[in-house]
Amino acid sequence: MGAGVLAATMAGCGETAEPADNTDSSETSDLTLEELFAKTSAASEEANSFHMDMVTNQTMVMGAAEGMNMDMKIDMSMDMTLDPLAFYQKGQSTFVSEGMEDMPAMETEMYYTPEGIYSYDPMMDAWLKMPAGEMEELEAMMEQQSGDLSGQLEQLEAFQDDFTFEQSGDEFILTLDAAGEEYEKLISEQMDQVMGDIDINAQEILNGMTINRIYYEIFIDKETLLPNTMNIIMDFDMEMEGESVSILSDIQAEYSNYNGIDAITVPAEVIENAEEI
């Protein structure tokens, strides 16, 4: 997909994309970066459903040089509709830390629909129906996270001048590789999405944060003007309750089947057998 291609110069908003190696001149587009952001945001707002495959690798180091390390990997797939907001999600999580080397992978499976939240508990080998009070909290979080493609692009729009802008025969390739205080707002917005209504002062955390690197690589389909792939790396240090914490996150997300999902339906056997908690 051309992920390894490096651009030599930063792209201005009014410049067209540089052809990547081995790109035929007949396949190039004269769309500017500013025009691409506008058209992709508009196309994302029209997308009512999609499939997403996401792999997240995160390393967290707590304390000084001899602090505790924790490695986490989440491999997840999701079908989502946006109107109404609903999803089916299935995944696997692994955690490796001192004293936790032999922990088995954790399997997750969940249906979220306006009628309720159903989550599979592998330890109980049973489906659980979550309390109604969790619906609003989860809905707010999901609206801010992966479901809002246009919102993610709007967050990045302020940094257009910092992107390299390339194109292959069938995709536009946007790359941001930077560091520094000017990206604190972007990190803050990402943290707000993850935290949702959790009672944590994000600004307080940001005040003690050092951004070592922020990296976005976005592949946008030339025909649909929708994202095919989004790779994100965030490397930062911060202070939490007097402790130093270093976090390196590597996220790879692939989007497909736009507008191809009619509805998310909870199977009857799940509804019938679910235990309310």
Side-chain angles (χ1 to χ4, degrees):
M1 201 177 284
V5 178
L6 298 177
T9 59
M10 290 296 183
C13 295
E15 296 181 8
T16 59
E18 285 289 322
D21 293 342
N22 302 317
T23 300
D24 194 299
S25 59
S26 65
E27 299 176 317
T28 59
S29 167
D30 60 0
L31 208 63
T32 67
L33 182 58
E34 186 174 17
E35 291 169 338
L36 178 61
F37 264 98
K39 289 180 178 293
T40 298
S41 293
S44 298
E45 289 177 357
E46 295 298 319
N48 189 49
S49 66
F50 61 88
H51 176 83
M52 180 179 67
D53 294 299
M54 178 181 288
V55 177
T56 301
N57 287 283
Q58 181 171 287
T59 297
M60 181 182 297
V61 180
M62 290 168 280
E66 299 181 359
M68 183 177 73
N69 287 25
M70 176 179 290
D71 293 322
M72 175 184 70
K73 179 178 181 180
I74 301 174
D75 194 338
M76 180 264 290
S77 63
M78 175 188 289
D79 286 332
M80 173 174 279
T81 63
L82 302 180
D83 186 17
L85 181 64
F87 68 83
Y88 168 66
Q89 174 182 300
K90 188 172 184 178
Q92 184 182 79
S93 303
T94 56
F95 300 88
V96 178
S97 182
E98 295 178 15
M100 300 169 57
E101 291 83 358
D102 298 326
M103 281 195 65
M106 181 184 301
E107 304 287 340
T108 59
E109 190 171 2
M110 177 183 288
Y111 289 91
Y112 174 98
T113 71
E115 290 73 38
I117 306 172
Y118 296 85
S119 178
Y120 179 71
D121 187 329
M123 297 186 68
M124 297 175 60
D125 189 23
W127 282 93
L128 305 175
K129 184 175 183 180
M130 310 304 287
E134 294 189 12
M135 288 283 293
E136 293 183 5
E137 182 177 330
L138 185 56
E139 181 174 358
M141 186 181 300
M142 292 307 301
E143 285 179 341
Q144 292 177 338
Q145 288 186 16
S146 56
D148 188 5
L149 292 172
S150 60
Q152 291 187 31
L153 293 168
E154 287 174 6
Q155 291 173 8
L156 296 171
E157 196 167 2
F159 304 100
Q160 284 186 45
D161 287 339
D162 297 335
F163 275 89
T164 59
F165 185 32
E166 296 182 297
Q167 58 181 308
S168 64
D170 55 3
E171 291 180 309
F172 293 104
I173 307 164
L174 284 67
T175 307
L176 171 68
D177 194 351
E181 295 180 359
E182 62 267 34
Y183 297 96
E184 284 185 358
K185 182 180 179 182
L186 184 59
I187 294 284
S188 175
E189 289 170 337
Q190 294 287 338
M191 291 179 69
D192 285 343
Q193 290 175 6
V194 174
M195 289 177 181
D197 293 331
I198 297 175
D199 187 20
I200 297 178
N201 190 332
Q203 186 58 50
E204 184 178 318
I205 294 174
L206 285 170
N207 289 338
M209 177 181 288
T210 301
I211 301 172
N212 303 315
R213 186 189 186 199
I214 183 168
Y215 177 86
Y216 276 81
E217 187 178 41
I218 307 170
F219 296 86
I220 297 176
D221 189 278
K222 282 186 172 180
E223 183 175 345
T224 66
L225 297 176
L226 289 165
N228 287 333
T229 304
M230 190 177 297
N231 301 320
I232 305 171
I233 296 174
M234 291 188 179
D235 181 357
F236 56 95
D237 305 322
M238 62 184 183
E239 296 286 331
M240 290 185 65
E241 299 180 353
E243 291 272 346
S244 63
V245 181
S246 298
I247 298 176
L248 175 61
S249 293
D250 186 334
I251 303 168
Q252 300 173 355
E254 294 189 358
Y255 298 89
S256 60
N257 199 24
Y258 285 102
N259 295 322
I261 302 166
D262 293 329
I264 303 298
T265 304
V266 183
E269 58 269 26
V270 171
I271 297 174
E272 294 168 2
N273 297 320
E275 178 183 338
E276 294 196 23
I277 60 174

